[in-house]
């Protein structure tokens, strides 16, 4: 089994339901979720005006190869109604493969580690919950996060019940 890290985000419909559905679909495949970060409300990224996102990171173990794991993530997005109409636009679900063990891949379909990971506080804040000692491309994520603006990122208190939801 290989260890990998995924980032989930959503800002359309009910993001809490979308994240739960994505986690369930992942868990019903060849992916074992070994740790999940808290949920974070984050400002939207990019130039498109849109609602805040709810973000989460997962540490998973899988027998899938990196490209097969990417395909699974894309298939789940598609099954959940993800439309890729606008770069950095709103979405019902987004599942990014951040890292796959120590693998470095750069081809026309997949770049690992994810090229934006060290520059996006909305990814690094939840990733710190589950992998505070993780190093990406020779940089500790704690050091990368210290250089980024974290304003507007708020952990959501979901209480003790997984069905309790806040209003994004």
């Amino acid at each position: 089994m290989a260890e990998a890290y995924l980032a989930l985000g959503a800002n359309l419909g009910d993001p809490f339901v979308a994240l739960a559905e994505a986690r369930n679909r992942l868990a019903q495949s060849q992916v074992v979720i070994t740790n999940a970060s808290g949920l974070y409300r984050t400002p939207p990224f990019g130039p498109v005006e849109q609602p805040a996102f709810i973000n989460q990171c997962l540490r998973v173990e899988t027998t899938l190869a990196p490209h097969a794991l990417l395909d699974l993530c894309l298939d789940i997005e598609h099954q959940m109604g993800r439309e890729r109409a606008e770069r950095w636009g709103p979405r019902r679900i987004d599942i990014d493969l951040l890292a796959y063990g120590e693998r470095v891949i750069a081809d026309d379909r997949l770049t690992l580690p994810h090229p934006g990971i060290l520059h996006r506080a909305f990814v690094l804040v939840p990733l710190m919950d589950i992998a505070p000692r993780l190093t990406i491309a020779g940089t500790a994520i704690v050091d990368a996060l210290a250089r980024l603006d974290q304003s507007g990122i708020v952990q959501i208190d979901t209480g003790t019940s997984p069905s309790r939801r806040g209003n994004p």
Side-chain angles (χ1 to χ4, degrees):
M1 296 274 269
E3 180 180 78
Y5 292 90
L6 304 176
L8 283 63
N11 73 341
L12 293 179
D14 186 330
F16 298 95
V17 169
L19 293 178
E21 182 179 340
R23 288 190 309 269
N24 287 338
R25 287 175 183 260
L26 285 164
Q28 292 172 9
S29 64
Q30 292 173 280
V31 173
V32 176
I33 299 171
T34 58
N35 206 347
S37 74
L39 299 174
Y40 290 83
R41 179 176 288 112
T42 64
F45 182 80
V48 178
E49 186 156 334
Q50 59 189 305
F53 274 82
I54 304 301
N55 290 97
Q56 181 176 47
C57 285
L58 306 175
R59 181 173 52 219
V60 302
E61 290 184 358
T62 184
T63 56
L64 296 172
H67 286 85
L69 181 56
L70 172 67
D71 289 339
L72 173 65
C73 293
L74 295 173
D75 286 347
I76 290 171
E77 288 179 346
H78 178 73
Q79 292 166 12
M80 291 180 61
R82 164 91 190 257
E83 295 179 16
R84 295 181 178 272
E86 196 168 15
R87 186 172 187 191
W88 296 321
R91 56 203 64 183
R92 178 159 190 268
I93 190 67
D94 184 37
I95 307 171
D96 286 334
L97 175 52
L98 301 175
Y100 186 101
E102 298 292 321
R103 297 286 296 267
V104 175
I105 298 173
D107 62 35
D108 60 335
R109 293 191 54 233
L110 179 60
T111 301
L112 287 177
H114 189 288
I117 189 173
L118 296 175
H119 308 288
R120 297 179 178 163
F122 67 88
V123 172
L124 293 179
V125 169
L127 190 56
M128 284 289 296
D129 282 359
I130 60 173
R133 293 183 197 88
L134 184 64
T135 299
I136 300 289
T139 300
I141 64 168
V142 67
D143 294 335
L145 183 58
R147 295 187 291 265
L148 299 176
D149 178 7
Q150 300 173 48
S151 60
I153 298 176
V154 178
Q155 187 167 14
I156 298 168
D157 177 11
T158 58
T160 56
S161 169
S163 65
R164 182 177 168 198
R165 299 185 308 231
N167 183 13

